Amino acid sequence: MKKVLALLLTSMMLLAACSSAPTSNGGNESGTNQGDGKEKITIWAWDPKFNIAALNIAKDAYAAENPDLQVEIIENAQNDIVQKLNTGMSSGTTKGLPNIVLIEDYRAQSFLQVYPDAFYPVADNIKASEFADYKLGPTSYDGKNYGVPFDSGVTGLYVRTDYLEQAGYTPADMQDINWDQFIEIGKKVKEATGKDWLTMDPTDLGILRIMIQSAGSWYLKEDGRTADLEGNAALKEAFETYKEIVEANIAKTHSDWSQMVANFNNGSTAAVVTGNWFTPSIMAADDQAGKWAIVPLPKLTNNANSVHASSLGGSSWYVLNVPGKEAAAKFLGETFGANVDMYQKLVTDVGAIGSYKPAVEGEAYKAPNEFFGGQNIVSDFANWTAQVPKVNYGLHTYAIEDTILVVEMQNYLNGKDIDQVLADAQKQADAQIK
């Protein structure tokens, strides 16, 4: 953690010494002219079956009207992108950096606030009001829009309808429930079927993020820098709910992504609360077609601000302040920022549900999904996207969760008082993220 803070301090000092954007280097190929009349831009993203596939659809759509722009898409692991951006931006040079980069929403502010001059505002290329409100917080800084929102991380409750029926329930019984009711249903399902209700990774507290955002709360205050742990009512209830799930013995434990997916595909787990991007993983089990439904997120039982909608993950596109930035911004503006037809193809070919509001009126968003019993799942997710509370993910989401809350959660599960847990977490956060 100290190394991370040292890097951030060094980065801020370097930026303070430079009144303009990072200097360009002649070796940077971004935004170059290819000598054939075509300008070239480069884009970094991860996940070939999702983000890269979406980019290729956007590339083809743009080329149909703008054949003079060459778009090079380069796959990098997300962690590699984070490292390369930090290294390049902290050095004050743009050498080797792309024109466009995909950044996870949880991480965006740690770049925008530390390296604001490294990014190019895109307000002239999009209409911010046409995107889901909750996506505008992570993509903006100091009153400027720097990101073009991409996929919605909107969550839902995926549930096996056949297991529900064995316990005497239907999806209709799951439409307006709280977490206490969710746990009670899970107990009945396990009793009736022998199947675990959930699967959870003890080192990943994504379910806490889902719970607290549903109440418009986060690990950080509105400034995105100050920890908000002690006295955070939503977080306290989320901790208590997590413990209730564990003590109810309705959750299977997994340690990695492949184990998580296997728990559903082999039929050993009945439900999952997660982002809509999990749909293809559920559908990978062909023999389970017609046995799943997606219902609204449970809301916190004792928090009046909690709603049946939240987010997990999600990312957005950013233009770097390097040669070719105008062409890059135009590319994003005319594809992810405007092309309704393209968004229909993203849904049908990739399964990517964007956060662009006008796309909801397209046919692909209204089409039934036979795997989910004919449910209009894309339309449902789009409606829930509009209800997700807007919060400031700030600079330290992962630092607080991975190095503090994961440990304190285990302390809580082992008997430590919840108020003391959050008080100690607050002290640690205050000391580490100054």
Side-chain angles (χ1 to χ4, degrees):
M1 191 66 206
K2 291 180 179 178
K3 291 180 179 179
V4 173
L5 290 174
L7 175 59
L8 290 176
L9 288 172
T10 302
S11 304
M12 288 186 281
M13 286 189 293
L14 284 168
L15 287 170
C18 303
S19 58
S20 60
T23 59
S24 178
N25 186 296
N28 182 6
E29 297 180 357
S30 297
T32 58
N33 190 295
Q34 299 302 293
D36 56 3
K38 288 189 176 183
E39 186 173 11
K40 175 184 175 182
I41 63 170
T42 58
I43 308 176
W44 287 358
W46 64 90
D47 193 344
K49 294 184 178 181
F50 193 83
N51 300 316
I52 302 294
L55 276 175
N56 280 313
I57 290 174
K59 176 181 175 180
D60 292 342
Y62 191 77
E65 302 293 333
N66 303 271
D68 291 334
L69 181 69
Q70 181 179 344
V71 179
E72 181 182 12
I73 301 168
I74 301 173
E75 180 189 349
N76 286 277
Q78 183 181 177
N79 287 340
D80 290 341
I81 289 178
V82 171
Q83 181 180 2
K84 289 178 180 180
L85 288 179
N86 273 317
T87 300
M89 291 176 181
S90 65
S91 71
T93 177
T94 62
K95 181 179 180 180
L97 295 182
N99 297 97
I100 297 172
V101 64
L102 185 67
I103 300 177
E104 186 184 31
D105 291 342
Y106 294 141
R107 301 182 189 273
Q109 288 296 307
S110 66
F111 286 104
L112 294 179
Q113 293 193 35
V114 177
Y115 312 108
D117 291 338
F119 294 89
Y120 181 68
V122 295
D124 291 340
N125 301 93
I126 65 169
K127 292 182 180 179
S129 61
E130 293 185 335
F131 292 89
D133 291 344
Y134 86 95
K135 293 282 282 190
L136 300 179
T139 56
S140 303
Y141 174 62
D142 198 23
K144 297 180 181 179
N145 294 112
Y146 286 98
V148 177
F150 174 38
D151 62 314
S152 167
V154 65
T155 57
L157 167 55
Y158 295 75
V159 61
R160 280 283 295 263
T161 56
D162 53 339
Y163 293 165
L164 271 182
E165 289 170 3
Q166 291 180 52
Y169 296 98
T170 70
D173 298 315
M174 311 287 290
Q175 293 299 312
D176 183 22
I177 63 172
N178 58 42
W179 281 98
D180 282 355
Q181 294 169 317
F182 171 84
I183 292 170
E184 289 305 310
I185 293 172
K187 291 178 182 178
K188 296 290 181 59
V189 169
K190 186 165 185 178
E191 180 181 347
T193 67
K195 308 295 183 181
D196 283 296
W197 189 221
L198 293 176
T199 177
M200 298 194 303
D201 180 351
T203 66
D204 183 349
L205 299 182
I207 195 167
L208 288 190
R209 280 176 262 142
I210 292 173
M211 291 179 187
I212 63 176
Q213 185 166 1
S214 79
S217 182
W218 202 246
Y219 301 150
L220 299 146
K221 294 183 178 180
E222 280 300 310
D223 63 5
R225 292 175 175 268
T226 307
D228 185 17
L229 308 176
E230 185 177 16
N232 184 326
L235 183 59
K236 180 178 179 178
E237 185 172 347
F239 261 72
E240 292 170 337
T241 302
Y242 188 100
K243 187 173 185 177
E244 289 172 9
I245 291 172
V246 172
E247 293 182 341
N249 193 31
I250 56 175
K252 183 186 292 292
T253 298
H254 67 265
S255 61
D256 57 35
W257 174 262
S258 60
Q259 286 184 13
M260 177 185 178
V261 174
N263 286 339
F264 300 103
N265 292 164
N266 64 23
S268 64
T269 309
V272 57
V273 178
T274 190
N276 68 90
W277 36 260
F278 196 67
T279 299
S281 297
I282 293 287
M283 294 179 65
D286 294 334
D287 62 320
Q288 295 177 17
K291 298 179 179 180
W292 284 92
I294 307 174
V295 298
L297 177 76
K299 63 181 180 179
L300 290 175
T301 306
N302 302 310
N303 192 305
N305 295 323
S306 184
V307 298
H308 293 293
S310 190
S311 180
L312 182 66
S315 54
S316 301
W317 306 105
Y318 295 84
V319 177
L320 297 188
N321 196 11
V322 300
K325 55 184 176 291
E326 295 87 357
K330 182 173 182 290
F331 169 81
L332 289 177
E334 294 185 14
T335 52
F336 294 100
N339 194 327
V340 170
D341 291 338
M342 187 195 83
Y343 273 98
Q344 310 311 304
K345 193 171 180 61
L346 290 179
V347 166
T348 57
D349 293 8
V350 182
I353 301 175
S355 48
Y356 183 58
K357 295 177 184 177
V360 176
E361 300 304 319
E363 290 303 314
Y365 276 67
K366 301 175 183 178
N369 186 306
E370 295 308 319
F371 186 94
F372 292 92
Q375 180 181 349
N376 296 335
I377 65 169
V378 177
S379 177
D380 286 341
F381 276 128
N383 290 335
W384 299 334
T385 294
Q387 301 169 32
V388 176
K390 182 179 178 181
V391 299
N392 188 345
Y393 298 136
L395 281 72
H396 310 295
T397 288
Y398 285 127
I400 289 174
E401 183 173 300
D402 295 346
T403 65
I404 299 174
L405 294 186
V406 166
V407 175
E408 288 298 337
M409 175 60 80
Q410 291 306 308
N411 291 336
Y412 176 52
L413 294 177
N414 289 331
K416 186 174 178 179
D417 176 74
I418 182 59
D419 292 323
Q420 191 61 53
V421 161
L422 297 182
D424 289 348
Q426 181 74 41
K427 291 177 183 177
Q428 295 175 60
D430 289 343
Q432 293 183 24
I433 65 175
K434 288 181 179 179

